[in-house]
Amino acid sequence: MLIRLLRERFRPYLGLIAVIVVLQLVQSIANLYLPSLNAHIIDDGVAKGDTAVIMHLGGIMLAVTVAQVICAVGAVYAGARVAMSVGRDLRAGVFDHVQTFSARELGQFGAPSLITRTTNDVQQVQLVVFMTFTILVAAPVMMVGGVIMALREDVQLSGLLLVIVPVLAVILGFAMVRLRPLFGSMQKRIDAINRIMREQITGIRVIRAFVRDTHERERFAGANADLMTVAVGVGRMMALIFPSVFLVMNVSSVAVLWFGGHRIDQGPMLVGSLVAFLSYLMQILVAVMMAVMMFMLVPRAEVSADRITEVMRTSSTVVPPVEPITVLPGRGHLELRDVGFSYPRATDPVLRGVSFVAAPGEMTAIIGSTGSGKTTLLQTIPRLYDVTEGAVLVDGVDVRELGLDTLWGAIGLVPQKPYLFSGTVASNLRYGKEDATDDEVWHALEVAQAAEFVTAMGGLDAEITQGGTNVSGGQRQRLAIARALVRRPEIYLFDDSFSALDFATDAALRAALAPETRAATVIVVAQRVSTIRYADRIVVLDDGVVVGTGTHPELMATNETYREIVLSQVTEEEAA
Ligand SMILES: Nc1ncnc2c1ncn2[C@@H]1O[C@H](COP(=O)(O)OP(=O)(O)OP(=O)(O)O)[C@@H](O)[C@H]1O
Ligand SMILES: [Mg+2]
C-alpha cells in the first residue's frame, strides 16, 4: 500500500530522485574506498617508514573525504526536498478529496480521524520517504560493497560475516514482527486523543455547567495513558534492539581481532589489512542497522499509508452527474416526488413517500415535532445527502442531473445550526458572492435585522471568531440569513432560522423578507405557528410522513396533527 501510494506521488520528482541516487552512490563508494587507502598507508607507508607515500596517500584520502561530504550533504538536501514535497502533495490530495465528501462520508470517518490522517499520518509517510533517500539508498551499496572489499582484504576472515550477518538479521526480523501491530494501535489511539480533545474543547461550556470536569479529565487521562502504553511497548522493543545490535557488533570486532591476529602471526595477513577489514565490518553492520531503523519506521508508515489510501479510495456518494445540466431551465420550481431517505446504518427510514410542490413566489412551510425529519428533508434538496428513494426536482430536472455548482448556486441554505467562519462580518457575508458591493451587504443585513448590532460591533470589518462564537445564537442566525440573502438564490431554505429570535424581531424580519424573496421559492421550517400561519402552503410532517398539506385555515379544519401543534401554542380564538 505504501509503495503504491508513493509510486504515484514520486512521479513529479523522478529527476531529483535520480540525482539523489547518484550522489548516494558516489558517497558510498568514497566511503568504501577510505579504509583500503588507510590500509595502504599503514602497510606501505608506516610499516616501511616511507613519509612520501604517507603524504601522497593522505592527500588522496583527504580529497576523497571532501568529495564524500559534499555528496552526502547534497543527497540529504535533495532527499529532504523530495520528502517534504511528497508530504505537501499528499496533504493537498487528501484535503481536496475530503472536500468532495458528502455528509455521509464525513460521518463515516469522523472529523478527528480525518484530521489525524491529513496531518500525523502524512507525516509518518513523509518521514519514511526522507529516511529512504538519506539512508536506505546508501545501505545496500554499503553492505554489498563492504562485503566485496572485505573479501579483497582477506577471504578467510570474511567467513565470519556468514555468522554475524544472519544473527543480526534474525534479531531485527523478530523486532519488526513484534512492532507492526503496535504501530497500528498507536495511530488509532492518536485518533482517540484527537476525538476526546475536540469534543472537550467544543463542549467546554456544557462540561463546566454540568460539573463534569473531573470526569472529562479522567476520560482524557485514560486515552492518554492508552497511547502511552503502546508507545512504551514500542520503546521497550527499541530498547531491546539497540543493545543487542551493539553486542553483535562488539563481539564480532573481538572475533575479527582474535582470528585476524592469528593470521597476521602466521604471515598471510598485514596489519593494515586487519584495520581495513575491521572498518569494513563496521560499515556493513552500520548499514544493516540503518536499514533496520528504517524498517522500523516502515510498519508505522504502512499503517498510515493504509489510512490515507482508505480516505482516497472512498468516493463521495453524492456523485456529480456525467453530463451536468448547467443552466436552470426555470426560476427554481421545486418538487419532491415520493422522497424516501434512510441514514447509513439505520434500520428505519427517516423520510417516507414525501411529496409536495413549491413554486417561485410562494412560501412553503414545514412543521412537525422534533425528530420528524424536517432538517433531513431540507438537506436532500442541495444534495448534502442524496435521497434513497424518489426524487427531488428543480424546474422539472432531477437534482442529480444538475451540475453541483448550478444546484448550489440556486439554493440559499440557512442551516439550523448556522456556522460562521473565522474572519470578518464582510468575509462571512460575501461567502457565497465574493463581488457583492458594500451596499448589497448592508441591505442584506438590514433585511435580516442585523444591521443594528453589526454597526455596534464595528461595521463590516468586525471580527468573527471560528464558528461565530463571539456573537449570540440569535445574531449568528441573522448573519446566516443575511449571508443567504446576499447571494439572491432562486430557492431559499430556512431551517428553523427564526427560533432564536424574539417575537418582535421575528415579525420584523419576516416583513422585511417578504419583498426580498417575492420571486423566489421559499421553504421555511419552523416550530412557531406565528411564523408560518400566512404561508401559501403548510406541509405537516409526522415521523417522516406527510400527514397534511394546505393553508392554515384548511389544515385547522381538517388536520388533527396540525390542530394539536397549533393549539399547544395558542388558544382556539387566536388560531382562527
Ligand atoms: N446524522 C444522522 N445519522 C443518523 N440518524 C440521524 C442523523 N441525523 C438525524 N438522524 C435521525 O433522523 C431523524 C430526523 O432528524 P431531523 O434532524 O431531520 O429532525 P428535525 O425534524 O429537523 O428535528 P428538530 O425539529 O429537532 O430540528 C431523527 O430521529 C434522528 O434520530
Ligand atoms: Mg432540525
Side-chain angles (χ1 to χ4, degrees):
M1 206 53 93
L2 179 65
I3 291 171
R4 193 174 312 158
L5 183 73
L6 287 177
R7 206 173 38 204
E8 286 163 34
R9 299 290 159 182
F10 278 162
R11 210 163 289 145
Y13 307 106
L14 286 181
L16 205 53
I17 291 173
V19 171
I20 296 172
V21 173
V22 170
L23 288 176
Q24 288 285 22
L25 267 178
V26 175
Q27 191 260 117
S28 311
I29 290 169
N31 223 342
L32 287 168
Y33 187 39
L34 287 174
S36 106
L37 272 175
N38 197 22
H40 275 297
I41 292 187
I42 295 173
D43 293 340
D44 301 338
V46 180
K48 294 178 186 156
D50 188 339
T51 324
V53 169
I54 297 178
M55 291 303 283
H56 175 66
L57 289 176
I60 296 178
M61 261 181 103
L62 200 62
V64 171
T65 310
V66 169
Q68 190 223 338
V69 167
I70 292 174
C71 288
V73 170
V76 171
Y77 176 81
R81 221 186 146 75
V82 172
M84 300 308 141
S85 308
V86 167
R88 179 198 55 202
D89 296 351
L90 263 182
R91 264 192 301 275
V94 176
F95 181 83
D96 286 344
H97 192 67
V98 169
Q99 294 295 308
T100 67
F101 280 3
S102 77
R104 189 184 288 258
E105 291 76 41
L106 291 178
Q108 181 188 327
F109 285 104
S113 186
L114 285 174
I115 293 174
T116 323
R117 285 170 209 240
T118 1
T119 52
N120 189 294
D121 283 311
V122 170
Q123 215 173 336
Q124 304 304 334
V125 173
Q126 186 178 304
L127 183 65
V128 161
V129 174
F130 177 67
M131 297 293 265
T132 304
F133 289 130
T134 44
I135 292 178
L136 195 65
V137 175
V141 182
M142 293 300 287
M143 279 188 247
V144 176
V147 171
I148 294 171
M149 296 304 274
L151 280 171
R152 276 187 45 181
E153 294 300 335
D154 196 288
V155 177
Q156 281 202 359
L157 212 48
S158 303
L160 280 174
L161 289 173
L162 291 177
V163 183
I164 299 167
V165 173
V167 169
L168 201 59
V170 167
I171 296 178
L172 300 169
F174 167 78
M176 265 166 57
V177 171
R178 298 293 293 275
L179 279 172
R180 208 197 138 93
L182 288 181
F183 283 128
S185 44
M186 200 154 179
Q187 292 311 94
K188 282 210 196 76
R189 287 174 195 201
I190 293 178
D191 271 357
I193 292 235
N194 258 334
R195 191 177 55 238
I196 294 178
M197 187 80 195
R198 239 179 100 86
E199 207 168 67
Q200 293 184 351
I201 293 175
T202 321
I204 189 81
R205 291 185 187 83
V206 184
I207 295 170
R208 293 272 155 79
F210 284 84
V211 203
R212 295 291 278 178
D213 275 34
T214 337
H215 169 80
E216 289 299 324
R217 227 170 278 211
E218 275 161 16
R219 212 152 70 94
F220 186 80
N224 206 356
D226 282 349
L227 178 60
M228 189 193 74
T229 319
V230 195
V232 167
V234 171
R236 223 179 261 144
M237 273 320 285
M238 299 269 191
L240 210 70
I241 293 166
F242 283 104
S244 321
V245 169
F246 281 117
L247 189 71
V248 172
M249 281 175 108
N250 290 327
V251 168
S252 33
S253 310
V254 172
V256 166
L257 285 174
W258 173 266
F259 290 111
H262 279 294
R263 282 182 64 73
I264 291 173
D265 250 4
Q266 291 154 8
M269 198 175 185
L270 295 173
V271 179
S273 285
L274 182 60
V275 174
F277 188 89
L278 208 54
S279 304
Y280 287 126
L281 178 70
M282 285 304 137
Q283 279 184 351
I284 294 167
L285 294 186
V286 167
V288 172
M289 212 171 72
M290 300 256 238
V292 166
M293 259 169 44
M294 174 69 214
F295 279 117
M296 280 191 228
L297 295 171
V298 167
R300 187 163 185 196
E302 253 180 11
V303 171
S304 291
D306 285 350
R307 285 159 52 93
I308 295 169
T309 312
E310 196 188 345
V311 176
M312 299 302 275
R313 288 261 170 87
T314 307
S315 45
S316 178
T317 41
V318 173
V319 193
V322 189
E323 281 171 40
I325 297 171
T326 50
V327 184
L328 272 194
R331 298 277 308 128
H333 181 276
L334 182 72
E335 181 182 353
L336 271 75
R337 205 177 276 169
D338 254 336
V339 164
F341 181 82
S342 327
Y343 279 105
R345 288 192 294 276
T347 42
D348 296 330
V350 175
L351 297 174
R352 271 165 296 151
V354 175
S355 302
F356 65 85
V357 183
E362 287 178 353
M363 171 172 153
T364 304
I366 300 175
I367 194 164
S369 54
T370 64
S372 55
K374 304 182 295 293
T375 301
T376 310
L377 178 65
L378 285 200
Q379 284 177 344
T380 61
I381 298 170
R383 296 189 74 192
L384 297 181
Y385 285 103
D386 265 342
V387 295
T388 42
E389 258 167 69
V392 177
L393 300 103
V394 173
D395 292 328
V397 183
D398 193 316
V399 285
R400 285 167 289 198
E401 282 161 26
L402 283 172
L404 288 176
D405 290 339
T406 314
L407 175 65
W408 292 336
I411 293 175
L413 171 68
V414 183
Q416 189 167 16
K417 277 182 277 172
Y419 190 90
L420 300 178
F421 292 89
S422 54
T424 61
V425 171
S427 72
N428 269 290
L429 289 195
R430 291 205 176 98
Y431 205 72
K433 188 180 179 204
E434 276 166 40
D435 54 355
T437 62
D438 277 7
D439 285 343
E440 284 177 290
V441 173
W442 274 116
H443 178 69
L445 284 171
E446 256 157 53
V447 173
Q449 309 296 308
E452 202 173 315
F453 78 83
V454 168
T455 311
M457 276 174 74
L460 292 183
D461 292 327
E463 200 191 332
I464 298 285
T465 53
Q466 189 188 6
T469 44
N470 66 335
V471 292
S472 79
Q475 290 171 337
R476 206 177 311 145
Q477 268 191 344
R478 278 175 276 166
L479 288 177
I481 293 169
R483 175 170 62 189
L485 284 169
V486 168
R487 301 180 64 186
R488 310 209 132 271
E490 278 81 10
I491 301 173
Y492 286 92
L493 305 175
F494 296 104
D495 189 354
D496 221 356
S497 307
F498 313 105
S499 60
L501 310 178
D502 55 70
F503 273 95
T505 316
D506 182 7
L509 199 155
R510 270 183 292 120
L513 208 53
E516 287 300 307
T517 57
R518 183 152 295 145
T521 307
V522 183
I523 310 275
V524 177
V525 166
Q527 304 282 1
R528 237 185 253 159
V529 174
S530 61
T531 314
I532 62 163
R533 68 188 297 169
Y534 300 109
D536 300 289
R537 184 182 305 101
I538 299 170
V539 177
V540 187
L541 208 57
D542 185 25
D543 204 10
V545 181
V546 176
V547 293
T549 310
T551 59
H552 177 74
E554 284 168 18
L555 287 171
M556 275 310 279
T558 59
N559 194 285
E560 197 45 45
T561 318
Y562 185 71
R563 266 179 70 89
E564 271 172 32
I565 296 173
V566 173
L567 293 181
S568 69
Q569 297 182 20
V570 296
T571 62
E572 190 87 38
E573 305 87 74
E574 283 174 319

